[in-house]
Amino acid sequence: MLKLAIDLGTSVTKIYRLGSGIVLAEATCVTVSKETGEIRAFGNDAKRLLGKTADQTEVCFPVYEGEIVSEKLAAALLGYFLKKAAGRTFSVEALFCVPCGYKSESREKVYRVAKEAGISRVNFAESPFLSALGQDVPLSESNPVFAIDIGAGVTSVSAFSLDGTIAGLSMNVGGNNMDIHIIDHIADKFNLKIGSLTSEKLKNMVGSLIEGDNQSTIINGRDITTGKPRSVSVSSADIEFPVRVYIDKIVEYAELILQKLPAEVSAAVGRNGVYLSGGVSRLAGLPDYIARKLQMEAHISSDPQMSVVLGGGRAVGNANLLRRIRME
Ligand SMILES: Nc1ncnc2c1ncn2[C@@H]1O[C@H](COP(=O)(O)OP(=O)(O)OP(=O)(O)O)[C@@H](O)[C@H]1O
Ligand SMILES: [Mg+2]
């Protein structure tokens, strides 16, 4: 049986294939004909069309804030990804990487979608735990780990050991909030309307939590007054606010979890520091910012967006471990 770890993210689906490594990372996105409901494009090909489609075509994201919102589109998209990642040889067993505390109704939706896409056996495990596995953090019953995974639609914060979660939560805060806020901010500041692809690119290129960072880039949009195309140069400082407010929210939640920890766990977490993952943790200066705010060391891998699915891959390759960490 072919074994996969699948992270069906709000923004990016990642698939790890046992024996091969990460075999897919593509936008969780489709375009649909408004008239017939037929899917026209899948994955990255679909996302490229965001904001550019004509009247008859709609760009859809079947996962919103970590939750499947269209089972039909999600199943079709997953089927497409599976064909890319696994060829036609299935029977497939898959471990789905899900946010901390993912509800049973939400898991049932993923289960139905996975079955519809042809997956034979389905397991679930929580992202913060998997991200620690993916970062080679030593895990045991006696050594608690504190981890934060910041995605596009969900952030999970969790303190756990090999025994399970000690305290954790997930919240609907992530990169998408920043992208939307940046659009409004650029409209106010530069009288320029930009699209969401531009906004995301802008955040990823110059978004920064480093004080005095003066990187900049040229962006194109539509002048709100004249209606004509116009370009402006936007710097890290220009978008610092719509980036930082959401990171500050995440810090607040992390502090809430820290306050709940038993004294021994708290002491260990203080010694071990916090492990960061998720696409948004690639923001310039994020580890230092979090370290300063939480007053502990912050660790991050060289490819933090892949930490969770890498950990999923470790788990599918280890039946004993999988039995211990999967959600019932
Ligand atoms: N260099 C970067 N700086 C800031 N944000 C980034 C960077 N690279 C990617 N991102 C953002 O990371 C997010 C995607 O991260 P990730 O793949 O971890 O999310 P996801 O798993 O799809 O979503 P979720 O876990 O919320 O369901 C997007 O919002 C993307 O714009
Ligand atoms: Mg994710």
Side-chain angles (χ1 to χ4, degrees):
M1 186 175 286
L2 181 62
K3 294 185 179 178
L4 303 177
I6 302 177
D7 183 352
L8 198 58
T10 302
S11 165
V12 181
T13 296
K14 303 101 177 155
I15 300 185
Y16 184 107
R17 176 181 170 152
L18 192 63
S20 308
I22 295 169
V23 288
L24 182 129
E26 271 210 46
T28 312
C29 184
V30 292
T31 59
V32 179
S33 155
K34 281 188 192 165
E35 205 183 324
T36 63
E38 190 194 347
I39 297 183
R40 293 237 169 98
F42 294 89
N44 290 345
D45 289 340
K47 189 172 176 184
R48 262 192 286 277
L49 300 174
L50 191 58
K52 299 176 196 147
T53 52
D55 270 357
Q56 310 90 303
T57 308
E58 197 175 7
V59 180
C60 303
F61 291 86
V63 178
Y64 179 72
E65 299 187 338
E67 186 89 20
I68 291 177
V69 287
S70 165
E71 292 189 30
K72 187 173 149 251
L73 295 180
L77 183 58
L78 184 59
Y80 168 84
F81 286 152
L82 282 176
K83 214 174 282 171
K84 272 191 147 178
R88 291 186 183 278
T89 52
F90 19 121
S91 119
V92 174
E93 173 181 336
L95 172 67
F96 281 85
C97 316
V98 295
C100 183
Y102 204 51
K103 288 196 298 286
S104 63
E105 307 89 82
S106 312
R107 295 205 302 267
E108 274 157 26
K109 278 194 256 176
V110 177
Y111 183 84
R112 284 195 296 273
V113 162
K115 287 286 168 178
E116 180 71 31
I119 295 174
S120 321
R121 207 182 295 163
V122 178
N123 283 304
F124 295 94
E126 294 184 341
S127 296
F129 189 94
L130 296 174
S131 82
L133 265 186
Q135 293 172 78
D136 291 321
V137 181
L139 291 161
S140 72
E141 286 91 350
S142 58
N143 189 31
V145 173
F146 186 51
I148 306 178
D149 179 71
I150 314 175
V154 188
T155 293
S156 292
V157 181
S158 179
F160 52 86
S161 73
L162 200 48
D163 236 8
T165 303
I166 300 161
L169 59 77
S170 65
M171 66 202 114
N172 297 334
V173 178
N176 284 353
N177 297 105
M178 298 173 185
D179 297 346
I180 293 166
H181 200 148
I182 287 171
I183 292 175
D184 293 342
H185 201 70
I186 295 292
D188 285 347
K189 203 162 176 161
F190 296 96
N191 198 39
L192 190 75
K193 176 80 184 158
I194 59 168
S196 41
L197 279 181
T198 301
S199 168
E200 181 178 14
K201 218 188 289 166
L202 179 61
K203 170 195 78 210
N204 298 357
M205 283 178 71
V206 305
S208 174
L209 292 156
I210 301 167
E211 224 175 296
D213 199 350
N214 60 0
Q215 296 194 67
S216 66
T217 187
I218 308 276
I219 58 163
N220 304 299
R222 176 168 49 84
D223 186 285
I224 293 173
T225 313
T226 68
K228 291 191 182 121
R230 179 159 64 88
S231 21
V232 293
S233 170
V234 179
S235 72
S236 304
D238 290 326
I239 59 162
E240 188 256 1
F241 180 75
V243 166
R244 189 173 42 78
V245 277
Y246 298 100
I247 298 300
D248 285 343
K249 241 178 226 167
I250 291 166
V251 166
E252 256 173 57
Y253 281 101
E255 285 168 342
L256 223 67
I257 294 295
L258 288 172
Q259 283 158 18
K260 282 191 188 166
L261 299 181
E264 290 293 353
V265 176
S266 180
V269 163
R271 275 196 305 275
N272 294 340
V274 56
Y275 289 85
L276 304 173
S277 66
V280 173
S281 63
R282 296 167 67 189
L283 262 177
L286 184 89
D288 285 345
Y289 188 83
I290 299 261
R292 207 165 55 242
K293 290 274 177 179
L294 296 182
Q295 291 171 6
M296 61 177 71
E297 214 180 324
H299 311 273
I300 190 161
S301 75
S302 57
D303 195 358
Q305 197 169 0
M306 296 301 146
S307 297
V308 168
V309 81
L310 262 181
R314 301 263 153 83
V316 290
N318 182 338
N320 275 336
L321 179 65
L322 182 60
R323 221 169 295 125
R324 285 199 76 160
I325 67 165
R326 70 180 173 205
M327 298 169 95
E328 290 308 332

